[in-house]
Amino acid sequence: MRQILSAFAAGLIFGLGLIVSGMINPAKVLNFLDLFGQWDPSLALVMGGALAVGLVGHRFILKMDRPVLAEAFHLPTRSDLDLRLVGGAVLFGVGWGLAGFCPGPAITGAGLGLAPIYVFLAAMLGAMALYRLVMR
Amino acid sequence: MDYATSFTPVSALIGGALIGISALMLLALNGRVAGISGIAGQLLAPKSGGRGWRLAFVLGLVAAALLYTLVAGAPQVQIAADTTTLVIAGVLVGIGTQLGSGCTSGHGVCGLSRLSARSLVATISFMAAGIVTVFLVRHVFGG
């Protein structure tokens, strides 16, 4: 139960971060990616802010024997670089550049009641579910 | 139609720090990575354990939008894409993040914080693909 509450709190703070930073707004995302047009560098600072906190925090957290509420850390263990990683990232980047939504802002945006976000979400979640169904 | 936006360094840094704090919280308390495409993908997988915390995290995201709107009013969201583009983009983001094991949060924030080489390669790849896509759409084909 405490893990459920902590996950909810983490999601709430993450979502607030996406909204406060402006990442929830696809126009800001697309203008960040538009280096050769009306470039808005804001999102570089979103990532910079997140990484500044993340890089320092990880040094301390990963020295802990175990997480506060769980038995062990669940971290990705793979270190190989393959075509799936790069190909998947490129497909994701093309989709991100087309509409300006990545998964976090799209899911957070479900709380805003805007029809275009539900269209994107339905397509994204449908594709994820299909992928998981076919690849397992 | 491309919307103009202005450079907002302070709110960007504050929002970014909140995202970083959230990721650290989930790691320190639950031992989990705050990768949103992974969390969503696992929730949608036919057989999957650990749905509880994942569902709670997703509900937290949605609750953030409700809470923010209640306190500060609706945030600015300007969507230029038409329905067809939204569907194509959604499918590409859905497949791409599952194939590439992550998105902006999992690779771009959590992975880079752990200095993961895979995440660095993925982040450079999706950033580059996004930049090229916007360049083509706005400056080569569109306008």
Side-chain angles (χ1 to χ4, degrees):
Chain A
M1 191 60 205
R2 290 199 299 169
Q3 279 200 55
I4 303 277
L5 288 175
S6 55
F8 180 81
L12 190 70
I13 294 170
F14 203 109
L16 289 174
L18 291 173
I19 297 170
V20 169
S21 67
M23 273 209 82
I24 193 90
N25 185 359
K28 248 179 133 48
V29 173
L30 294 178
N31 288 345
F32 167 68
L33 295 173
D34 193 6
L35 292 186
F36 308 100
Q38 44 183 334
W39 192 46
D40 176 354
S42 304
L43 296 200
L45 294 179
V46 180
M47 204 145 182
L51 282 179
V53 172
L55 281 166
V56 174
H58 271 73
R59 294 173 62 96
F60 293 100
I61 293 174
L62 294 180
K63 282 184 186 148
M64 293 161 54
D65 293 330
R66 41 171 282 193
V68 177
L69 303 176
E71 298 298 318
F73 288 107
H74 298 267
L75 292 169
T77 49
R78 288 179 61 178
S79 58
D80 58 313
L81 301 172
D82 60 354
L83 198 62
R84 278 173 59 143
L85 177 79
V86 177
V90 167
L91 288 181
F92 162 47
V94 172
W96 194 37
L98 281 177
F101 280 115
C102 55
I107 293 174
T108 305
L112 297 174
L114 299 169
I117 298 186
Y118 297 115
V119 172
F120 178 89
L121 258 184
M124 181 187 85
L125 297 176
M128 285 179 173
L130 193 67
Y131 180 93
R132 294 278 173 167
L133 190 68
V134 172
M135 300 306 280
R136 299 297 147 195
Chain B
M1 169 183 53
D2 301 332
Y3 293 99
T5 58
S6 48
F7 182 44
T8 50
V10 176
S11 55
L13 276 171
I14 294 172
L18 286 174
I19 292 169
I21 289 166
S22 160
L24 290 181
M25 225 178 112
L26 196 66
L27 187 67
L29 296 177
N30 291 21
R32 293 287 181 170
V33 174
I36 296 180
S37 59
I39 291 174
Q42 286 293 332
L43 276 175
L44 293 163
K47 283 181 202 161
S48 170
R51 283 186 201 274
W53 74 268
R54 291 189 172 92
L55 191 61
F57 186 87
V58 166
L59 290 175
L61 289 176
V62 179
L66 299 172
L67 180 70
Y68 185 94
T69 304
L70 205 65
V71 174
Q76 191 170 43
V77 178
Q78 300 155 301
I79 303 166
D82 58 23
T83 302
T84 311
T85 308
L86 286 167
V87 171
I88 295 169
V91 169
L92 287 172
V93 170
I95 301 283
T97 54
Q98 301 307 303
L99 198 60
S101 312
C103 59
T104 348
S105 55
H107 282 313
V109 175
C110 300
L112 290 187
S113 291
R114 283 186 296 110
L115 305 174
S116 152
R118 271 174 67 84
S119 290
L120 181 63
V121 168
T123 304
I124 291 170
S125 303
F126 67 66
M127 286 276 182
I131 288 167
V132 169
T133 302
V134 170
F135 182 75
L136 291 176
V137 169
R138 286 191 173 175
H139 305 297
V140 178
F141 299 115

